[in-house]
Amino acid sequence: MTQYFSFSGKDNRPTYWAVLLITWFAGMFATILTIGGLGVGIEFESVGVSLSMGILLIAVLIVMVWLVIASVVRRLRDAGQNPLWVLVTFLPYVGFVAYIVFGCLPTEEAKEE
């Protein structure tokens, strides 16, 4: 499990897409849970529930961002690209396309010396 949080090594295409899909579904689930919790907090006038749901969402988002960035760096390394290309993913609209392009890049063949 710690391999997914590491920036070292390489990720093949199936692993890259699996990490992206799992984090996307986890983010959607956490968001739905948070929105539901915020609704309960407003309905029952409980600030504690709203605050705890907000903290939960922030924690999940931080973990997911770390996972995705680490996966993109490993995928770029696997494709033979500079890992600093991960910075492109932070650009609005361009980042979404970059995730798709990075996922479609072929694996770099081993160089014979």
Side-chain angles (χ1 to χ4, degrees), residues 5 18 20 36 46 51 53 57 60 63 71 88 90 92 100:
F5 291 97
L20 285 184
S46 170
L51 184 62
M53 288 297 171
L57 181 64
V60 168
V63 170
S71 182
V88 173
F90 292 106
I100 296 170

Side-chain angles (χ1 to χ4, degrees), residues 8-65:
S8 62
K10 296 180 178 183
D11 265 358
N12 56 13
R13 282 185 279 197
T15 305
Y16 172 78
W17 286 113
V19 168
L20 285 184
L21 287 174
I22 289 170
T23 55
W24 186 80
F25 283 119
M28 293 301 291
F29 181 71
T31 303
I32 291 169
L33 245 156
T34 302
I35 291 171
L38 290 175
V40 168
I42 292 170
E43 183 177 320
F44 295 113
E45 299 177 3
S46 170
V47 178
V49 172
S50 299
L51 184 62
S52 63
M53 288 297 171
I55 291 171
L56 172 70
L57 181 64
I58 290 170
V60 168
L61 289 176
I62 289 171
V63 170
M64 287 185 348
V65 167

Side-chain angles (χ1 to χ4, degrees), residues 16 72 75-76 85-86 88-89 97-105:
Y16 172 78
V72 170
R75 178 69 194 120
L76 286 169
W85 277 104
V86 73
V88 173
T89 61
V97 175
Y99 284 122
I100 296 170
V101 170
F102 296 157
C104 294
L105 290 173

